[in-house]
Amino acid sequence: MKIPQKKFKAAILVELKKPLIIDEICLPENLEPGQVLVKIHFSGICGSQLGEIDGVKGFDNYLPHLLGHEGSGTVIEVGPGVRHVKPNDHVVMHWRKGQGIEAVPPTYMWGDKKVNAGCITTFSEYSIVSENRLTVIPKNYDKELAALFGCAVTTGFGVIINNAKLKIGESIIIYGAGGVGLNIIQAAAMTSAHPIIAVDLHPGRLEIAQKAGATHVINASTDDSKSEIEQILKNAPVDVFIDNTGVPKIIELGYSLTSAGGRVVLVGVPPVECNTSIYTLPLHFGKSISGSHGGETIPHVDIPRYLSLHKSGKLRLDHLITHRISLDRINAGINGMRNGSIHGRIVIGMDAK
């Protein structure tokens, strides 16, 4: 299906470990089967994008390319075969696969250069997205908050429900209280876990963690977190340890603190050259360690459930978004996430000035 040729602003990753370049790129001439043209309203910035910029998973074969995997938008056009969304639908944009076609990723033009993209990208004013990365939401739902359901909310709640399988009254430690970590804390509180111990390097994040439901907070930049945890738990082991940092020493600490039948869930990803060392015998007797893939969320099933929770007042989102920026200031936002000056989720408003 032919689409009007249109230039729009995007943040482009040209070189690893370098700032993104903000410039105009051009849509391709056609929408392929399963592709959907979306006007983006808001995009979150997830820690995963910082990992992509830093190349934590190894060499990047697709440079230059676009980034971003959680957002909200309005459908403009749909390609052949698309059945689950239609023009003018309001959608959550998510990286986990949902309903519909898995489309081939688009290629944009940046002058005479090609710019690659995945099945979803959100750091741009428009995006061609695979149908199965879109879930329709009510048109009266807040577009800014809707962006959080692309990853932060769904991953956080999925980690608790699907990965940790947290039970009422179990103890839990969440290491790293960024956008996903705060939702893990909130989901743990809604599960009636106790105690809920949040650990982070930045006091601003720990303040929000308490609002999200943490019963105890530990500043790892000033305190001995292992000693503090043991004091809170009265030297008892913890039932669940969630690591959002990807730091091998923290993963090893979590494994050592977990009970014989406890669960260690890894959300953060260590750099490709970093290994974690554990004594595996406890794994034969009930202890488990596993990696989370977006909380194993099923977007078209889970997003409506969480929207309903928010509408009922049981799920709180007002405290999660602490910073709002324009696309032109995305590099400043990324730097703020790195140095901890941004405490909660940062949201890019595509119409912001």
Side-chain angles (χ1 to χ4, degrees):
M1 173 182 288
K2 276 196 169 295
I3 53 177
Q5 286 297 284
K6 183 178 183 62
K7 286 188 175 182
F8 59 96
K9 194 181 294 183
I12 309 164
L13 178 62
V14 178
E15 187 177 352
L16 294 180
K17 301 181 181 179
K18 298 289 184 181
L20 304 181
I21 292 178
I22 316 301
D23 206 349
E24 286 191 332
I25 61 175
C26 193
L27 290 171
E29 293 183 358
N30 298 291
L31 287 178
E32 301 296 331
Q35 290 183 341
V36 179
L37 175 61
V38 179
K39 174 178 171 53
I40 299 174
H41 301 303
F42 294 94
S43 171
I45 304 178
C46 186
S48 296
Q49 278 84 66
L50 275 63
E52 285 185 77
I53 293 168
D54 292 342
V56 297
K57 295 180 182 178
F59 182 75
D60 193 328
N61 293 304
Y62 299 98
L63 297 174
H65 65 76
L66 304 187
L67 294 168
H69 71 203
E70 72 169 15
S72 64
T74 297
V75 173
I76 304 300
E77 297 284 351
V78 300
V82 172
R83 297 185 299 111
H84 295 283
V85 300
K86 63 184 184 301
N88 297 318
D89 277 347
H90 289 194
V91 291
V92 170
M93 309 166 69
H94 44 77
W95 64 273
R96 285 281 299 174
K97 293 181 183 180
Q99 286 181 310
I101 298 171
E102 170 92 357
V104 297
T107 301
Y108 303 94
M109 293 305 298
W110 180 26
D112 59 355
K113 295 179 181 178
K114 290 184 177 180
V115 176
N116 296 307
C119 291
I120 172 177
T121 56
T122 62
F123 292 174
S124 54
E125 295 174 321
Y126 289 82
S127 183
I128 293 176
V129 183
S130 181
E131 180 189 18
N132 66 354
R133 267 47 174 215
L134 301 170
T135 295
V136 177
I137 61 172
K139 288 187 177 180
N140 62 355
Y141 192 77
D142 186 292
K143 296 184 183 71
E144 184 180 70
L145 294 179
L148 301 181
F149 291 86
C151 178
V153 172
T154 47
T155 297
F157 276 70
V159 165
I160 290 298
I161 297 165
N162 300 321
N163 299 128
K165 296 181 172 61
L166 188 66
K167 300 178 182 66
I168 293 172
E170 286 192 312
S171 56
I172 183 170
I173 299 168
I174 299 98
Y175 226 107
V180 170
L182 291 171
N183 281 287
I184 294 172
I185 292 165
Q186 183 167 201
M190 291 174 70
T191 309
S192 296
H194 187 83
I196 301 169
I197 304 169
V199 187
D200 202 282
L201 295 169
H202 305 290
R205 291 178 181 170
L206 294 173
E207 288 178 17
I208 304 173
Q210 287 181 305
K211 294 178 183 177
T215 60
H216 301 77
V217 295
I218 298 170
N219 186 336
S221 67
T222 58
D223 299 326
D224 180 342
S225 55
K226 183 174 186 292
S227 175
E228 291 287 322
I229 288 167
E230 289 173 342
Q231 186 174 341
I232 293 166
L233 295 174
K234 297 179 171 54
N235 291 314
V238 70
D239 295 306
V240 174
F241 186 98
I242 311 290
D243 175 63
N244 298 309
T245 70
V247 176
K249 285 186 177 180
I250 294 175
I251 296 170
E252 292 166 9
L253 171 65
Y255 186 78
S256 71
L257 291 171
T258 309
S259 65
R263 290 86 74 198
V264 178
V265 180
L266 310 182
V267 181
V269 178
V272 67
E273 70 277 5
C274 294
N275 295 317
T276 299
S277 178
I278 60 171
Y279 179 53
T280 61
L281 181 63
L283 299 176
H284 298 269
F285 296 94
K287 184 178 287 196
S288 69
I289 183 168
S290 63
S292 175
H293 191 254
E296 322 320 305
T297 295
I298 303 172
H300 61 281
V301 174
D302 293 329
I303 289 174
R305 291 195 300 119
Y306 300 149
L307 287 172
S308 178
L309 274 179
H310 180 237
K311 185 178 179 180
S312 72
K314 294 182 182 296
L315 170 59
R316 287 188 56 212
L317 299 176
D318 55 298
H319 61 291
L320 296 180
I321 298 175
T322 58
H323 293 74
R324 297 164 174 85
I325 60 170
S326 66
L327 184 60
D328 288 327
R329 290 188 50 77
I330 189 169
N331 288 309
I334 289 168
N335 289 338
M337 290 179 66
R338 292 188 189 281
N339 63 32
S341 61
I342 290 176
H343 305 145
R345 203 54 151 189
I346 181 171
V347 171
I348 305 165
M350 296 306 162
D351 297 324
K353 301 300 181 185

